[in-house]
Amino acid sequence: MNDRLLHGGDYNPDQWLDYPSILADDIRFMKDAKTNAFSVGIFAWAALEPTEGNFNFQWLDKIMDDIHGFGGKVLLATPSAARPAWLAQKYPEVLRTNNLRQKMLFGARHNHCFSSPVYREKVGIINRKLAERYKNHPALYMWHVSNEYNGECHCEYCRENFRKWLKDKYQTIDNLNHAYWSAFWSHTFNDFSQIDPPSPLGEFAVHNHNLDWKRFISYMTIDFYLNEVAPLKEITPDIPLLTNFMGELFTRGTYPSTGVIHSDFAREVDVVTWDAYPAWHNDYETTAFTASKLAYINDFYRSLKGKPFLILESTPSMVNWHPINRPKRPGMHLLSSLGCVAHGADGIMYFQWRKSRGSSEKFHGAVVDHDNSGSNRVYKDVKELGHVLESIKEIKDTSTPAKVALIYDVENFWALSDAQGFNNIDKQYHQTMHTHYRAFWTQNIPVDVITPDKDLTRYDLVVAPMLYMASKELITKLHSYVKNGGTLVATYMLGIVNENDLVYLGGLPSPLKEIFGINIGETDSLYPTQKNALIMSCGKEYEAFDHCAIFDVLPGTEVLATYGSDFYKGNPALTRNAFDKGQAYFIGPRTGEDFLVDFYSGLIKADLPINGDEEVSIQERRNEKNRYFFVMNYSEEEKEISLETAMEDIITRQEMTAGKHRIKPYGVFVLKH
Ligand code: GAL
């Protein structure tokens, strides 16, 4: 198993316990569809413990045995993401309280209080039972811990935990008052007991308080997870732990879920995984654009541990919760799945194995549809992917050779979104990150999307768009990166506040001033129809919009472009400063992708023996022996590519000669070099 790419998905047999022939069909189809791994029991608490203290594992024993019977593996779930009715009825404290201090009722899922001692205890009991029962089962492969942790609770336990967390962080109330700038509007606290979480009914305008609450939620979520996994670590120390993270991939930008600090959470799991649901075939962007959004989040999750990750959920056809839900067109399932493998996924799993018969997900795509047949289009697509994943299994554990890092910081996003000023409609941090990312993606230059805690020394180029909130630690890291020979790019909204959301006095913090060789004064935020221009010294002009930093240069800094209009016409708009062994570029205005493509192509080039087209993405994975190129046509037209040398397509095991080749719409090759 360890040499296979995972292929399978969420399997909910607990919905079908009264249908033994369906369960038998499942096992038959799993084998036939070339699937090998299943997340079992994710929402099965009511079937595992129908009444308090009465456990029933017999049905799960059979499923584990049956999956093992055909050589499959189980990512055994802990069931904490949805609770049985008896638990909520007897212990209402497990239910969340919202930010209006209203107690929620039983229902839905992903809505338990992370602090509740009873919930922690009950989760601990069931997890221990699962670990004890299955610790030696040959099908047990990984622990799928809970599901898509998210959300917050404002109950008395959580409020008290928040105060404790603040006390640990600030030690004294004076420190907190300074960090909250609480003299403003007479909000000075005398004691930690006076502090409550942000609420529309009370405090919501102290930015660092809002930030701390978000940081606390992240901390509490991870703390709950650690409580969940304690018995698993004790009883099955060699079984890897994972939980599934999320991503937003729709009309508004694209980004990893913003409810937790992923860099903190990733340290506590053995494998990073996420649930990917792009809206293919929409009417608002090209297929290649959608693909670049998926690629961006894949690169983020891969970079969290700097090693392969898993797509833990995806749909073989369509979802049921996009505004409009379209099935994948022929070819798209293979292409989109291999697109994830190209960016570092070592497995493609689905939500869900079998389409449920009732309730809210009965129309969500699945491998086995209501027709219970192995001959429909979706099933055949899955089976085809199963065959392909087997033929390309040598990809497993290969790495991604990125020399470019794009810094993404969720805390910066929180601070930026809360900042009142500039453009209050949408500061577009996520869209901006993605626009910079695309400038590399369209040129087939691999990128790591990294969190600020990562080491920068292995990168030739580091890009930090809209780094509004910059901690002293990160500033020091950037300084030494450039000093030691790195190339750094930053933009408007750079280094305005510190980690407590307090504005840096004296303008740009001096280490940044030193590396960029600039002094930033005002920022002009433009209405959507207003434009300025960035004019390169060669005369080439690009549109500038939304935000324009107005800044001076210090002696020695080169001005590469100036603004085209308004009172700062002729002022620097793009600069380069050589600092010690490295250099730092500052882009003053927001620009389109056209400028970024030209700009970055002057700094770094793709190193590929294949030439494609803007919509034919080429991504590399490699090991010591081989380079593997995924060549993917994300367009509805046939395209031409050219190979500098002959290579083998490891999907078909056919040799492709040097020279020109056609690639069909949604076509994909995996070439070994
Ligand atoms: C995920 C969730 C799954 C399923 C899926 C539908 O967010 O983890 O349980 O609901 O969405 O797309």
Side-chain angles (χ1 to χ4, degrees), residues 127-162:
N127 290 4
R128 180 169 291 278
K129 293 259 178 209
L130 284 166
E132 272 164 359
R133 191 164 187 103
Y134 298 107
K135 64 182 178 209
N136 295 320
H137 198 288
L140 179 64
Y141 188 56
M142 291 182 182
W143 285 108
H144 179 304
V145 185
S146 200
N147 194 66
E148 296 192 338
Y149 286 107
N150 66 76
E152 60 187 60
C153 171
H154 293 243
C155 74
E156 197 41 64
Y157 287 123
C158 288
R159 278 143 64 194
E160 204 40 50
N161 281 334
F162 181 45

Side-chain angles (χ1 to χ4, degrees), residues 403-404 440 443 445-446 460-461 599-606:
K403 287 280 156 214
V404 177
F440 296 103
Q443 300 182 75
I445 297 170
D460 294 342
L461 174 61
F599 172 66
Y600 288 125
S601 64
L603 299 185
I604 195 156
K605 295 265 182 268

Side-chain angles (χ1 to χ4, degrees), residues 342 399-401 446 607-608 618-622 626-630:
S399 60
T400 304
D607 157 35
L608 293 173
I618 305 168
Q619 291 293 324
E620 180 180 349
R621 288 183 68 170
R622 61 162 72 157
N626 300 305
R627 299 176 76 184
Y628 298 92
F629 300 104
F630 289 73

